[in-house]
Every structure is written in C-alpha cells, then in structure tokens.
Amino acid sequence: MLLSIQHLSLPLEDPLLKFLIELIIILCIPLLLNKIKVPHLLGLIIAGAVIGPNGFNVLARDSSVVVTGTTGLLYIMFLAGLEIDMGDFKKNKWKSITFSIYTFIVPFVLGLIGGYYILHFSILTSVLFASLFSSHTLIVYPMISKLGIAKKLAVNITVGGTMITDVLSLVVLAVVVGMSQGEVGTSFWIKLSLSMLVFALMVLLVFPIIARWFFKNVEDKISQYIFVIVMIYLAALLAELAGIEAIIGAFFAGLALNRLIPHTSSLMNRVEFVGNAIFIPFFLISVGMLIDFNAFIQSWETLGVASIMLIASIGGKYAAAILTKKTFRLTNDEGTLIFGMSAASAAATLASVMVGYNIILSETDAGEPIRLLNEHVLNGSILLILVSCTISSFVSMASAQRIADSDKEETVAGTSHEKENILMALNHEDTVEKIVNLGLLIKTKTNKDGVFALNIINEEKSESSSKNAEKLLGSAVNMAAGADVKVNPITRHDNDVVSGINNVVKEQNITDLIIGLEEDKGFSSSFIYNLYNGYLRNKEINVIIYHAVQPIATIKKYTVLIPFNAEREPGFFHSLLRVWNIGKNSGAKMSFYANNKTIEVLKSIIKKANIEAVFNSVTSWNEAQEAAHNLETDEGLILLMADRNMHSYFSQMQNIPELLNKNMKDHNYILIYPFTKIDKTVMEKRAVSNLDDFADIGNIIGKLFK
C-alpha cells in the first residue's frame, strides 16, 4: 500500500482518491470564499482549472467527470423550470418574450459583425459564431433561489427568456450544421419542426400524466427521487432525438413536474439538496477543467478572437438588460440582476462550440483539418466562460442581495400581526402524512418554529397510547424534517380529545388548527358533534378540516367556494392567506366562486400576490355549490365557511358535511372556518378594520402576504 502511494502518477487514476479530492474542493472552497464575499461557484471553476489537465494535471477530465458534470448542468436547467412560478410566468410571458428578443438579437448582431467583418469568417461560420453569444446559462440560479427571490419579476423574466434564447440558439446550431453538411431543404425544415413539436408535446403533456400516476401510487421517498432523475434524463434524451440540446429537455422536464413537486415539500428539498451539494459543484469543476491559460499566452490571435467574443457577449447582454429595464420601467437593481443572470455563457455556448469544432469542412494542402469553428474560437469560448461566469457571479449576487435586503425591510414593516402557530391534530396513522403535507403548504415562509403536532392520549377510552403517540409524532417530525421544517411534538393526557386540543390551543397561542378526516369515514356523527360543540367554540382560531383521498401535490385544480359578505369577517384575510399559499406552493389552479363584491376584493389581492386563478361571479350559494358537483378527477374543493355565529350559517351550511359525505368521498376537500373574534390591537395591526375601502385592500394584502 505504501509502495503504491509513493509511486503515484498524475493524473490520478485511483477512483477513491479522485472522488476524495473533488469532495474536499466542494467542501472547502465555499467555506473559504464566503468569508471574503466571493461567490463560491467562481472558486469551483478556478479550482477545476488548477487541478485539471491544463493546470497541474491532478485529475483528468475523464468520463466520470463528464457524466457527473453533465448531470449538474441538467440539474441547473431542471431546477430553473421546476421553481419557476407558472402563474407569474403566464402573467409575464410577454415580458419574457420581449427580453428574449433583446438578448438574442443584440449579441447576435454584434457577433455577426465581429465574425464576418473583423475576423473574416465565412457567412455560415459567422452565423454560428454569432449564435454563441445569444444563449446564456443560469449558473447563478441556485444562489439566487437561496436568497428567496426566485419569484421576483426580474428573475421570472430572465428564466423565461433563457428558455427561449437557448432554444433559438440551438435551432441556429442545428440549421448551420445541416447547411454545412448540405442537408438543408424542405424535408429538413419539416423534420426539425415536427420533431421539436413531438418532443414538446411528449414532455409537457405526457410526462405530467405519468408523474401524477406515479406520485399517487408510490409513496416510497427514495423511489420518488429516483423517478425525478429518470424524468430529467429521459427528457434530455428525447430532446437530443428531436435535434436540440439536452439542456432544453431538462428545462422542459422541470416545467412538466412544476405543479407536481410542491415548493415546500420534502421531495423538493431532496431535489435541491442533492443538486446543490453534489451534481452542480461537479459541473462547475468540470467547466474549469476546460480552461487552458497557455493558449492565450502562445497565440495573439486567440486573444483577439476572445476579445471580440467578450465584447459581443457581455456587451450585448448588458445592452439587452438596459433595454429590458427601460421597456418595463424596472428598478436599477432589477435591471442589474437581469444582466448578471444572463451574462454567464457556459452550457449552450460550450455545446455549440464543441459541435462546430468537431465538424470538418475540408482539409488544407498540408492535410490540416478546416473546421467550422477553429481552435481559436474554442479557446476563446473557454475564456468567455470564465470571464462571463465571474461577472455573472459578482453582479448577480450583489444586486440579488440588495433586493433581498429590501424585501426584508418591507416584510418587517408589514408583518406586525401576531405570530403564526399551526397545530396539526394527529390521531390516525393513515392521515399523518396528509396533514403534514397540508401544514407545509399553508404555512408562511417566515414561520420557522411555529408548527406543532399533537396527539391526545385517553387510556380510559382506549384513545391512543404513549407508544402510538410516539409513533405518530415521530413520523410527523421526520416528514417535516425532510422539507427542512421543524415540527414541535406535543403529547397530552386528557379525559377528552376536544378539551385536550382546546387547552393546547390556548397554551401555545395557536392561530390555525388542522384536523384530518379518515378517508373511508368522512364526517361521522361524533365528529360533527365535536366540531360544532367543541372545536368551533374557540372563536380566535382558524379551524381547517381536511379530507384527502390522494396526495395534495397531485391535485391540478381547486374549486374555491366563498359565501356572501365573507370579506367582512375578521378571519377572512387570514383564511384566504391559507388558500393563497396552497395555490402558490402547490401550483394548483384556483377557481373562485363568490359574489361580485368579494370577486372585486380577490382581484385586488391577486395584483399584489399573484397565483394562477380564475374568478366566477355567482348570485346565490346554491349556484356556488353546483360548481362543486362538477369536479373531475384530480380536482379538489375548498370551502370558506360563513361566520359560525350568524343565523345564515346554520340555515345554509349545516348540511354541508352530509353533502360532502355523499358527493365528495372520492375527492380531496378542505373546509376552513375563519375565526370570528379578534383582539382590537391585532385588528389594528392587520389594518383590516375598514374592509369597504377596496382601494386599500391591495396594500393591506401586499403586506399581509409577504
């Protein structure tokens, strides 16, 4: 063993030693660079250059590095598609399209001028050369997401624009390659168009069907994660078969699974954790391994080509960002963030260069190959990757941090209401996961330690036991921990379940109580008695009743019924925040049914806190109930119940449990009973004392929904 260590040769070949060195780099670089405020992704790229074949040749850029690096690249694009807010994307699609036009055309024109008139490339080579600068890689997206601003308008515009520009640049690549090989004709265009259409339909329509079935029928967490990885690679493979790059397939896979992996779920946490811990750092190291500093010392021509590439790419992206900022009247920080995120060129640029470099058009008299893109462009692209990623890292993180700090100041100013405390009452093993998943969806982001799980032990009535309580609460804590959320377990001995829950509500200052219904029982007579004569007696909390027949992440659409004048009730906005969080965190479409006055309130809210929603005006409660009878498969129902003290509540809604048992046993449904009593100071803090002034409601909710 000692002999083998003494005779180590470079590059290292021992797989354990190679992997250990890469892990040490991934561990140490962020720790060191965070202290001096340097983005760690830049450090990983430089580390790759130092240990790579063009540096000290410690590690070779072999198949193992390429495979893990490719997975990291696919992961970045997948996460971008997975975390994009589809409601915001649809709302801002024209902004994304406008930005993509700017960021594609401006660098393309600069590159075309530089390639054809300065470097004297052929027109075909110049077009491919120009397309290198139109695409961009969201290399800083994981760090932007960590700052909590992934849903900001500037980020949304850039992510949407990235999808379009990358597709366009890779289509240019496919066309140029076809023309260089003499394959362009009517059949070529028909084949390319049809293959891309089939690919898009397959991923965006078929993948969600497969994924929804899988998540409904397979509960094993490891299997669910492996399924996600399979979908990423399958979409990437289908993209290549369609004649476009794999990264587009990964992005489309993220869009396809967007609504099926809630942003607050344990599965989402696993996907992000593994990607940010392993695959994405490996990709950054693999990019660094391509850098060859000797090429720039040995050839002035390479430096000239690289300079033109940098001006066309960085200058073009900056001009596009300024145009976007001016067009949509964005702030300086938002415009800078757009430039920073779009400045990095790595994935599509590298793919296009490698394809162009490997295409040999002819040979010189000396037998040297004449390539579509020569070695000067190849080496220049490596410098472009290093410089663009450096600029992208510093500019993006600086502007993103300012935006995040600004948000914190606004949130603190507008979040003066009492602390949110959510209590999940657990009594049956088959409802634990369902209740925990709902609790994770409805909680606000700022709630770090205000989620409780409770089991009442009544040994005289054989209701639970210490062993059963330990099992149920342990499961709840572990499930929430998988989503990086702390759940506080509470075991309580009491002679009555209702009084036990109500006592904990008072002791822990609970604001929301979640109670799960067993799938096969629904509303039993004993539960209805406990509900009306027990839980609803506490007028200072929201009571949420949840019936689940399938995982909440697989629900495509919710029908939300709101009784007349609900906006006048003290607990209306608090309850509506729960509905909003379900839509925002699960991606499910919300179809609201209410009278005109309430619809106006909802429309003013959505301007401040966007979700994907439609509004349907009804003139009677019976008309609203009729909408609930037409639910299709994978659709759910949410009912905001009326004031529990009003006579109309008993006259119109006391039969709802019976109707739900009869008509909704095969659907998910959620009943939310808003609180009816609120402390005067809290009312003033929430600024909802004058609910008739609709002009102020947008500002009120803008603060409340931060």
Side-chain angles (χ1 to χ4, degrees), residues 495-613:
N495 294 327
D496 181 72
V497 172
V498 175
S499 64
I501 291 176
N502 284 337
N503 287 332
V504 172
V505 165
K506 295 175 183 177
E507 293 166 2
Q508 301 296 336
N509 296 317
I510 299 300
T511 57
D512 300 85
L513 170 64
I514 304 176
I515 304 173
L517 296 175
E518 291 184 81
E519 181 181 337
D520 54 341
K521 291 184 179 180
F523 281 94
S524 63
S525 56
S526 59
F527 182 86
I528 293 175
Y529 179 84
N530 288 337
L531 177 65
Y532 291 150
N533 297 284
Y535 307 126
L536 297 183
R537 294 290 184 185
N538 193 328
K539 301 176 182 179
E540 297 180 352
I541 63 168
N542 269 13
V543 179
I544 302 172
I545 311 299
Y546 182 39
H547 174 264
V549 296
Q550 66 185 76
I552 197 166
T554 62
I555 300 296
K556 294 187 293 186
K557 174 185 173 183
Y558 283 98
T559 294
V560 185
L561 308 186
I562 302 178
F564 293 3
N565 296 321
E567 71 278 2
R568 292 182 175 274
E569 298 179 11
F572 173 73
F573 290 108
H574 188 93
S575 300
L576 199 61
L577 177 57
R578 306 302 167 219
V579 178
W580 234 257
N581 282 344
I582 291 173
K584 181 173 61 177
N585 293 325
S586 71
K589 184 177 181 179
M590 296 292 177
S591 182
F592 290 93
Y593 289 82
N595 67 357
N596 288 328
K597 194 172 183 180
T598 307
I599 291 294
E600 289 301 317
V601 177
L602 298 176
K603 287 182 177 179
S604 65
I605 293 171
I606 205 168
K607 293 177 182 178
K608 293 288 183 179
N610 187 54
I611 59 173
E612 190 170 357

Side-chain angles (χ1 to χ4, degrees), residues 374-615:
N374 60 35
E375 64 273 9
H376 300 303
V377 177
L378 175 62
N379 291 325
S381 68
I382 301 304
L383 183 62
L384 173 62
I385 290 172
L386 177 62
V387 174
S388 66
C389 289
T390 302
I391 293 174
S392 176
S393 301
F394 282 102
V395 173
S396 296
M397 293 311 297
S399 56
Q401 190 64 60
R402 288 194 296 269
I403 292 173
D405 291 342
S406 175
D407 277 358
K408 287 179 182 177
E409 293 175 3
E410 292 177 9
T411 301
V412 170
T415 311
S416 55
H417 55 84
E418 89 285 10
K419 182 183 177 184
E420 170 191 273
N421 289 317
I422 298 173
L423 178 63
M424 302 179 294
L426 307 178
N427 194 37
H428 304 285
E429 185 176 356
D430 61 341
T431 63
V432 172
E433 183 173 4
K434 300 169 183 176
I435 293 176
V436 170
N437 287 335
L438 177 62
L440 296 179
L441 281 185
I442 68 171
K443 68 178 284 293
T444 57
K445 281 187 177 181
T446 55
N447 186 350
K448 302 298 182 182
D449 58 357
V451 181
F452 300 83
L454 169 68
N455 181 255
I456 303 295
I457 300 175
N458 186 346
E459 295 178 347
E460 293 181 2
K461 297 182 180 180
S462 298
E463 291 180 355
S464 192
S465 63
S466 297
K467 185 176 181 180
N468 184 56
E470 183 180 353
K471 180 179 180 181
L472 295 180
L473 297 178
S475 297
V477 170
N478 291 335
M479 290 173 190
D484 203 22
V485 174
K486 178 185 176 183
V487 165
N488 304 288
I490 300 175
T491 302
R492 187 180 184 91
H493 293 262
D494 206 294
N495 294 327
D496 181 72
V497 172
V498 175
S499 64
I501 291 176
N502 284 337
N503 287 332
V504 172
V505 165
K506 295 175 183 177
E507 293 166 2
Q508 301 296 336
N509 296 317
I510 299 300
T511 57
D512 300 85
L513 170 64
I514 304 176
I515 304 173
L517 296 175
E518 291 184 81
E519 181 181 337
D520 54 341
K521 291 184 179 180
F523 281 94
S524 63
S525 56
S526 59
F527 182 86
I528 293 175
Y529 179 84
N530 288 337
L531 177 65
Y532 291 150
N533 297 284
Y535 307 126
L536 297 183
R537 294 290 184 185
N538 193 328
K539 301 176 182 179
E540 297 180 352
I541 63 168
N542 269 13
V543 179
I544 302 172
I545 311 299
Y546 182 39
H547 174 264
V549 296
Q550 66 185 76
I552 197 166
T554 62
I555 300 296
K556 294 187 293 186
K557 174 185 173 183
Y558 283 98
T559 294
V560 185
L561 308 186
I562 302 178
F564 293 3
N565 296 321
E567 71 278 2
R568 292 182 175 274
E569 298 179 11
F572 173 73
F573 290 108
H574 188 93
S575 300
L576 199 61
L577 177 57
R578 306 302 167 219
V579 178
W580 234 257
N581 282 344
I582 291 173
K584 181 173 61 177
N585 293 325
S586 71
K589 184 177 181 179
M590 296 292 177
S591 182
F592 290 93
Y593 289 82
N595 67 357
N596 288 328
K597 194 172 183 180
T598 307
I599 291 294
E600 289 301 317
V601 177
L602 298 176
K603 287 182 177 179
S604 65
I605 293 171
I606 205 168
K607 293 177 182 178
K608 293 288 183 179
N610 187 54
I611 59 173
E612 190 170 357
V614 294
F615 303 104

Side-chain angles (χ1 to χ4, degrees), residues 71-273:
T71 303
L73 174 57
L74 297 179
Y75 232 99
I76 290 175
M77 297 304 295
F78 175 73
L79 285 176
L82 187 65
E83 294 188 358
I84 189 172
D85 190 307
M86 295 306 294
D88 284 339
F89 179 71
K90 290 183 177 180
K91 180 181 178 181
N92 301 310
K93 60 180 179 292
W94 295 114
K95 291 183 175 68
S96 291
I97 291 173
T98 302
F99 166 67
S100 67
I101 292 172
Y102 289 153
T103 196
F104 182 85
I105 291 179
V106 177
F108 186 88
V109 170
L110 292 176
L112 191 62
I113 293 172
Y116 190 73
Y117 291 102
I118 300 177
L119 299 176
H120 304 294
F121 291 153
S122 68
I123 187 63
L124 205 58
T125 298
S126 297
V127 170
L128 181 57
F129 180 75
S131 72
L132 302 179
F133 319 122
S134 295
S135 63
H136 36 82
T137 304
L138 297 173
I139 202 166
V140 297
Y141 184 84
M143 293 191 296
I144 297 295
S145 180
K146 284 182 180 179
L147 291 176
I149 62 169
K151 296 183 183 299
K152 285 293 180 181
L153 175 61
V155 179
N156 203 279
I157 289 174
T158 310
V159 171
T162 297
M163 175 182 66
I164 299 170
T165 55
D166 282 2
V167 169
L168 290 175
S169 64
L170 294 172
V171 167
V172 171
L173 171 65
V175 172
V176 170
V177 169
M179 293 180 69
S180 68
Q181 297 174 349
E183 298 178 359
V184 175
T186 304
S187 60
F188 169 81
W189 290 109
I190 294 175
K191 181 181 178 181
L192 181 63
S193 301
L194 288 178
S195 62
M196 291 182 63
L197 179 62
V198 170
F199 156 75
L201 292 176
M202 177 71 72
V203 176
L204 297 179
L205 297 182
V206 178
F207 272 35
I209 295 174
I210 297 172
R212 183 170 281 107
W213 176 88
F214 188 89
F215 291 140
K216 285 170 68 174
N217 292 278
V218 178
E219 297 181 357
D220 180 68
K221 305 303 180 186
I222 296 177
S223 297
Q224 289 183 350
Y225 177 76
I226 298 299
F227 172 80
V228 171
I229 301 298
V230 169
M231 290 291 101
I232 296 174
Y233 268 94
L234 181 57
L237 178 61
L238 291 175
E240 289 187 338
L241 293 175
I244 55 179
E245 278 300 311
I247 56 174
I248 302 300
F251 183 84
F252 272 62
L255 293 178
L257 300 184
N258 183 285
R259 300 182 186 278
L260 294 165
I261 304 179
H263 297 165
T264 57
S265 67
S266 58
L267 179 57
M268 181 64 136
N269 191 56
R270 274 186 213 99
V271 170
E272 291 182 327
F273 177 81

